[in-house]
Amino acid sequence: MTIPSEIPARIARFAPTVRVVHALNAIGFGLLTFTGAAMYGAPGTQWVGRRDLVRNVHVWVGIFLLLPLIVGLASSSGLRDDFRRLSRWSAEDKRWWFKSKRTEVRLGKFNPGQKANASFTLAALLALLGTGAIMKWYSPFGDDWRTGATFVHDWTALALGLVVIGHIYMAIRDRSALDGMIRGTVPSEWAATGRPRWYSEVIQASENDASDLGDSR
Amino acid sequence: MTGPVRPEDADVTDYVGLLDVDERLGTRVGRRIVLGLMGAGAAGIIFGRPIQEKTAQVISGVPGLNQLPVGGRWRIYTVTGGLPKRSQADYSLRIHGLVDEELTFSYEQLLELEPTHLTKDFQCVTGWRVEDVKWTGIRLADLLDAAGVQTSATALRFFSFDGIYTESLTLAQARRDDVIVAYSMLGDDITRAHGGPVRLYVAPMYGYKSIKWLESIEVTDEVVPGYWERRFYAVDAWIGNSNGRNDNPV
């Protein structure tokens, strides 16, 4: 493989659509966490109160939470590409979980921890949506299912909350990765060392683009 | 299949083959995770109730774990921005409307009346239930008799000193022996969170009928739906026979 004459200091990681969807999802999830905690028990139920208003905000934000993701998937090939990468695990990804084998692994755009996080988060959001719908539109369901739905909703929310805290902690610890989501770019060096296979892909693609331009001239 | 496989990207560690080179061509582990967790969630909806009841029994004795999502414990609700506060000294209960004589009771005066003791469950319409709660108060029927209900009256309206919450009962419901104006619960004065110093306890109905921070009772000639009743909750809120629920009656 030829080394390009000029390696850029930063390379693009997340498309604008991906970042907007992520931001809207984060805002929505923040509102749901706040209103959910305020309905769940002490101290939120007492400090925030306003049960009727809080419930309505929770329900409406919940209904529309996945809308940005759906619109984004329909309109952005960049988001579809990320979605696909997050859902697919290479044989190398599977080896990554064994610390002793990690040195042999050249990662793609995401590490397997990020992939597991994305899958869990999507599953949890869908479970919260489904159980929340049973809690809100309860008439067709008996007590057993309503209690079961509340049970799943509460525990899933707790688990997802912990996972999101972990997600934020990891992002703060790795400023370059965080930059990828906030500014859209990451330092080339970070990509070359942390995500070498994805880095090669990006460099290759930019070279191809450059030679395509050359041909058309 | 999109995403080209790039042989030049392969290196000696790619001993599993070239298909491994592009991460977009890996196995669909993400889909399995999502579908598996959705299956677990569906199982949780169906079997969650017995699991929750077992967990509640185990956890109830362990301090610090009582905030976990299990049933069988109090959850404090308020429809305003906080818990209203009124001391026993400042407290008074007014009975007005279609009565022969408008009455106002201080907290001390309520304590002088003949008390009724109940040990009964508290069932919330959102699903949780606290068993064998001790309640002490005055039968609502006694207070109504003291004021003298006029013949045109059919119902009651209850007002909370939180300034927003209201509830209703028919006269027949209000005269039951298990409907009391309570000043003690759980073996002690009623705390601010539980609606103290004085609240209503309507044993056979869902918790939203047992108005907290009770300030006044108006005798009316028709049922005026209360706060949650205007928000699609049943007006006749019998436990196990309303709001689409079949809990054991109290």
Side-chain angles (χ1 to χ4, degrees), chain A residues 11-23:
Chain A
I11 57 174
R13 181 158 170 86
F14 290 117
T17 311
V18 176
R19 282 142 58 205
V20 169
V21 167
H22 180 266

Side-chain angles (χ1 to χ4, degrees), chain B:
Chain B
M1 290 285 176
T2 59
V5 179
R6 299 175 188 283
E8 65 271 26
D9 278 355
D11 59 35
V12 286
T13 61
D14 286 327
Y15 50 81
V16 285
L18 288 179
L19 274 184
D20 188 42
V21 171
D22 193 315
E23 75 177 326
R24 283 166 292 190
L25 301 180
T27 45
R28 295 181 173 93
V29 175
R31 188 156 80 182
R32 279 177 228 157
I33 293 175
V34 172
L35 292 177
L37 287 173
M38 300 296 288
I45 293 173
I46 295 166
F47 301 112
R49 189 174 200 176
I51 296 171
Q52 174 163 285
E53 280 160 9
K54 277 277 178 298
T55 323
Q57 284 171 6
V58 175
I59 278 180
S60 60
V62 185
L65 293 184
N66 58 0
Q67 277 297 314
L68 286 175
V70 295
R73 61 170 186 82
W74 296 97
R75 295 190 184 190
I76 304 302
Y77 297 155
T78 170
V79 298
T80 62
L83 302 178
K85 187 173 188 175
R86 193 159 295 181
S87 69
Q88 293 174 357
D90 290 339
Y91 181 81
S92 68
L93 171 65
R94 190 163 78 99
I95 300 177
H96 61 111
L98 302 174
V99 288
D100 297 333
E101 188 191 358
E102 191 174 311
L103 294 179
T104 301
F105 296 92
S106 69
Y107 187 82
E108 289 295 319
Q109 286 169 327
L110 287 175
L111 260 56
E112 288 163 8
L113 300 175
E114 188 194 342
T116 293
H117 303 279
L118 300 172
T119 301
K120 282 179 171 294
D121 298 356
F122 188 89
Q123 171 74 51
C124 180
V125 73
T126 62
W128 54 267
R129 181 184 188 114
V130 180
E131 294 181 345
D132 299 329
V133 181
K134 284 183 183 168
W135 304 88
T136 305
I138 302 108
R139 289 194 327 144
L140 182 53
D142 293 347
L143 294 178
L144 294 174
D145 288 344
V149 174
Q150 295 179 359
T151 50
S152 57
T154 62
L156 302 177
R157 256 190 115 182
F158 302 87
F159 297 85
S160 163
F161 59 76
D162 71 8
I164 289 183
Y165 200 81
T166 54
E167 257 315 312
S168 71
L169 287 176
T170 67
L171 269 184
Q173 291 163 358
R175 288 189 180 282
R176 289 174 57 111
D177 287 342
D178 53 2
V179 176
I180 61 172
V181 171
Y183 51 76
S184 166
M185 67 183 275
L186 300 164
D188 208 341
D189 291 349
I190 301 178
T191 63
R192 189 174 158 202
H194 281 305
V198 175
R199 70 177 296 173
L200 196 66
Y201 174 56
V202 183
M205 293 194 175
Y206 285 106
Y208 64 90
K209 301 297 280 192
S210 296
I211 188 172
K212 303 204 283 189
W213 308 297
L214 178 62
E215 181 173 52
S216 64
I217 301 170
E218 181 186 3
V219 183
T220 57
D221 57 6
E222 60 173 350
V223 171
V224 181
Y227 183 88
W228 287 118
E229 294 161 4
R230 292 193 302 274
R231 291 163 174 81
F232 310 114
Y233 285 46
V235 176
D236 296 316
W238 303 107
I239 294 172
N241 194 22
S242 68
N243 294 294
R245 299 190 62 88
N246 60 5
D247 307 284
N248 290 328
V250 173

Side-chain angles (χ1 to χ4, degrees), chain A residues 1 39-42 45-52 55 81 84-95 104 106 108-110 115-116 119-120 122-123 126-127 131 134 138 141 143-152 154-155 158 197-198 200-201 204-205 208, chain B residues 1-2 6 8-11 13-16 20-31 33-34 37-38 40-41 44-46 48-49 51-52 55 67-70 73 75-83 125-126 193 227-228 231-233 243-247:
Chain A
M1 147 179 168
M39 283 188 291
Y40 173 65
T45 48
Q46 305 170 33
W47 292 352
V48 181
R50 296 180 182 82
R51 209 168 167 75
D52 189 42
R55 181 194 60 181
D81 187 66
R84 175 172 189 146
R85 287 170 188 271
L86 285 166
S87 72
R88 301 274 184 148
W89 294 43
S90 70
E92 286 207 299
D93 286 336
K94 291 169 192 167
R95 287 207 297 279
E104 304 166 11
R106 292 181 74 225
K109 187 167 185 178
F110 302 104
K115 295 184 183 196
S119 299
F120 174 82
L122 179 63
L126 291 173
T131 52
I134 292 176
Y138 53 77
F141 307 101
D143 287 7
D144 288 348
W145 280 36
R146 286 163 66 181
T147 306
T150 309
F151 172 78
V152 173
D154 290 356
W155 280 101
L158 185 65
R197 200 177 293 288
W198 171 68
S200 316
E201 239 182 80
Q204 200 88 33
N208 291 346
Chain B
M1 290 285 176
T2 59
R6 299 175 188 283
E8 65 271 26
D9 278 355
D11 59 35
T13 61
D14 286 327
Y15 50 81
V16 285
D20 188 42
V21 171
D22 193 315
E23 75 177 326
R24 283 166 292 190
L25 301 180
T27 45
R28 295 181 173 93
V29 175
R31 188 156 80 182
I33 293 175
V34 172
L37 287 173
M38 300 296 288
I45 293 173
I46 295 166
R49 189 174 200 176
I51 296 171
Q52 174 163 285
T55 323
Q67 277 297 314
L68 286 175
V70 295
R73 61 170 186 82
R75 295 190 184 190
I76 304 302
Y77 297 155
T78 170
V79 298
T80 62
L83 302 178
V125 73
T126 62
Y227 183 88
W228 287 118
R231 291 163 174 81
F232 310 114
Y233 285 46
N243 294 294
R245 299 190 62 88
N246 60 5
D247 307 284

